[in-house]
Amino acid sequence: MPMKLYAHPDNYKTKKALICAKYAGLEIETPNGGAADQTGRVPVLETEQGCIFSSAAIARYISRINRCTALYGQNLLEGGMIDSWVEFCTHELEVPLCAWVLPVQGVFPEVPEATKCAKEDVKSAMTVLNNHLLANTYMVGHSITLADVSLFCALLDGMSLVLDDAFRKPFGNVMRWFTLCLAQPEFKAVVGDVKLCGGGAAGAAKADKKEAKPTTQEEKLKQEDKPKTVKPKSEPKPKGEAKQDKKEKEQDETKKDEKPAVDPVKKKKAVIKEGGKRGVEIEGAADMGGLQFFCTSVDEPEGDIELLLESVKAMNEKSDPTEEERKGGSGHVGKMVFSAGIDQLAIVAYVAEEKQAECSCQEWLEKVLSLFGGKLVSSSKDYCQGVIATDSDKNIFPLKIREALILEANNFLRKKGLFPEDNGDDDDEMVFGDDDFPS
């Protein structure tokens, strides 16, 4: 029997519980009314065993039901960190945001002094989030958790009504994270499209800069009587000389726009060096964490699919222990490697021969490419290549979508039982992700 959630359907706290339910794979009905009459309050979650009230308690309960989703973290430490951010969200972000947003929604009259203080408090909270997200893709760990869901939902009304372009501009990391969350199917199914607040007071500022026009007849006459300053005309250059200057100027601008030519030999060498180094890191992570597969990104190929293939092959090269600087050594670890360029995101998937019965290289890559309409370039049992083209009309940009695709690649492995899970027996288990290996 599905659970029943009695709550205001448009409230951001209701959406928090519904997003968690999507991740947990739960069926939850949202009937109108009923709970307020019986308990005197909403929201209330009705289950077969009993009822749970308050949005925070409901979200925590749903997040803990399915451990495979890791909404409450991979271990006890992550669970504590998630609780910390949920508390931060409630007291440091939601309180001032409500004081700012609710008057705009017409819930109660605005108190200017309170709004002014609320704006400063929201700015302080956003600064904390922005600094944290500088080095983190998600709030806790390497996947969506209750911390992300809580903070995203708390910001929803603010992003739509009061946090305009000027306010959001200093918080680029927060906006990148917000867009990443919104791109997840579970979020999209509940909140739909989110229209961000526009320029706000920017239009008024521009209008103030315009010179006021005289209104009365007397003022018009005074304006006309003012002496007009006439700028001396510069003598025109001879026609041939003017054309030459224009041509030279265009050439100078073209030179500025042109990037220095890249030596292909040096570029390939840099790509192979980066790949060999990353291979050693992956080998070490596999030995310590028992990994069979790994997803990561590299910088040097810059979205070039052929160079990315060379990078992955360098990772798989047999390592020579006698070398002063070891390279490669991770040929036994299946991997999906991403490289972002301006025009496209290049992806190479690799599955070692002994793992091909458990995981199809082509199926794995096609699953990831399908998220943003990518194209399979080449396919074999061990190596497969694909690209996702930049599309500004669809808001598809390589750097923006890369983290979501890494998450999708890991989720594919998790469903096949090829990704390490925390069974709760060892709180010190090490879980590795892309951020553990800086480029």
Side-chain angles (χ1 to χ4, degrees):
M1 187 182 83
M3 300 180 190
K4 293 182 180 179
L5 178 63
Y6 297 93
H8 299 298
D10 296 328
N11 192 290
Y12 71 89
K13 294 178 181 178
T14 305
K15 292 171 182 175
K16 176 169 61 176
L18 293 176
I19 291 171
C20 290
K22 289 287 183 187
Y23 274 99
L26 298 176
E27 188 181 348
I28 292 185
E29 295 178 355
T30 52
N32 294 325
D37 298 332
Q38 296 170 26
T39 66
R41 66 187 298 167
V42 289
V44 171
L45 180 69
E46 183 183 41
T47 73
E48 289 183 343
Q49 290 78 30
C51 293
I52 302 168
F53 63 87
S54 108
S55 63
I58 292 169
R60 283 189 169 104
Y61 170 74
I62 295 172
S63 299
R64 289 186 175 115
I65 287 177
N66 188 349
R67 288 199 65 191
C68 292
T69 62
L71 278 179
Y72 228 93
Q74 299 277 5
N75 49 52
L76 286 175
L77 176 61
E78 286 191 3
M81 293 166 73
I82 289 166
D83 281 333
S84 299
W85 283 115
V86 170
E87 293 296 316
F88 173 88
C89 176
T90 302
H91 301 295
E92 305 296 330
L93 185 61
E94 290 184 46
V95 171
L97 254 181
C98 286
W100 188 2
V101 170
L102 292 179
V104 176
Q105 293 177 324
V107 177
F108 55 75
E110 182 180 6
V111 180
E113 293 82 2
T115 303
K116 185 179 178 181
C117 291
K119 288 180 181 179
E120 291 304 314
D121 290 342
V122 171
K123 191 177 287 185
S124 298
M126 292 280 279
T127 301
V128 171
L129 294 177
N130 200 62
N131 291 339
H132 177 72
L133 289 166
L134 176 64
N136 296 279
T137 303
Y138 302 102
M139 294 307 302
V140 177
H142 299 285
S143 61
I144 293 286
T145 64
L146 178 60
D148 299 285
V149 176
S150 299
L151 287 161
F152 175 89
C153 291
L155 286 166
L156 261 179
D157 291 337
M159 289 289 187
S160 302
L161 297 172
V162 295
L163 306 181
D164 58 29
D165 294 337
F167 190 94
R168 298 193 305 265
K169 190 175 181 180
F171 307 114
N173 300 322
V174 174
M175 294 313 300
R176 181 259 307 157
W177 162 84
F178 188 86
T179 305
L180 175 61
C181 290
L182 189 58
Q184 307 307 310
E186 294 82 1
F187 283 77
K188 204 79 170 176
V190 175
V191 304
D193 294 322
V194 178
K195 187 177 180 182
L196 298 179
C197 181
K206 287 180 182 178
D208 292 340
K209 291 180 182 179
K210 291 182 179 179
E211 189 178 343
K213 292 182 180 179
T215 52
T216 65
Q217 186 67 23
E218 187 178 345
E219 287 174 342
K220 286 180 181 178
L221 290 170
K222 284 181 180 178
Q223 289 281 355
E224 289 172 3
D225 290 342
K226 284 182 182 178
K228 294 180 181 179
T229 55
V230 181
K231 291 182 180 179
K233 289 185 179 179
S234 57
E235 290 184 13
K237 290 183 179 181
K239 197 171 181 181
E241 191 178 331
K243 279 186 178 180
Q244 184 66 23
D245 288 350
K246 187 179 178 182
K247 191 175 180 181
E248 287 175 1
K249 189 177 179 182
E250 287 175 354
Q251 287 175 347
D252 289 342
E253 288 185 3
T254 305
K255 285 178 183 178
K256 285 179 185 177
D257 294 337
E258 286 177 357
K259 290 184 178 179
V262 178
D263 184 343
V265 177
K266 288 183 178 178
K267 183 65 176 174
K268 187 175 180 180
K269 190 175 178 181
V271 166
I272 292 172
K273 183 178 179 181
E274 182 188 37
K277 184 180 176 185
R278 186 60 55 87
V280 175
E281 293 166 350
I282 293 172
E283 181 192 24
D287 291 344
M288 287 193 291
L291 297 174
Q292 304 175 66
F293 290 84
F294 194 87
C295 299
T296 188
S297 63
V298 287
D299 298 324
E300 285 294 344
E302 297 182 284
D304 186 299
I305 191 67
E306 296 303 327
L307 287 177
L308 180 58
L309 181 61
E310 292 297 327
S311 177
V312 178
K313 286 181 177 178
M315 296 178 196
N316 296 337
E317 277 290 323
K318 194 172 180 180
S319 180
D320 184 354
T322 61
E323 285 185 334
E324 186 177 343
E325 186 179 354
R326 291 179 63 237
K327 299 183 286 291
S330 65
H332 62 292
V333 181
K335 54 183 70 70
M336 187 172 287
V337 186
F338 300 77
S339 178
I342 296 172
D343 299 322
Q344 66 181 22
L345 179 71
I347 311 170
V348 171
Y350 165 76
V351 177
E353 187 177 352
E354 59 270 23
K355 303 285 195 311
Q356 288 169 10
E358 301 172 78
C359 178
S360 164
C361 188
Q362 182 174 333
E363 183 189 359
W364 187 22
L365 181 56
E366 284 180 338
K367 177 64 177 174
V368 173
L369 290 171
S370 67
L371 200 63
F372 290 99
K375 182 177 71 172
L376 186 69
V377 176
S378 70
S379 174
S380 66
K381 288 185 177 180
D382 48 1
Y383 288 95
C384 290
Q385 299 168 263
V387 294
I388 298 175
T390 301
D391 190 338
S392 56
D393 294 334
K394 294 181 181 178
N395 203 29
I396 296 176
F397 299 97
L399 281 173
K400 184 184 285 188
I401 65 173
R402 185 180 63 190
E403 298 302 327
L405 293 171
I406 290 176
L407 177 62
E408 183 67 21
N410 285 333
N411 285 339
F412 177 90
L413 298 171
R414 188 177 282 113
K415 288 173 184 175
K416 288 185 172 290
L418 300 172
F419 196 80
E421 298 286 357
D422 176 25
N423 297 318
D425 299 328
D426 184 3
D427 293 333
D428 296 325
E429 180 180 347
M430 302 182 77
V431 180
F432 294 92
D434 195 32
D435 294 340
D436 294 308
F437 305 105
S439 299

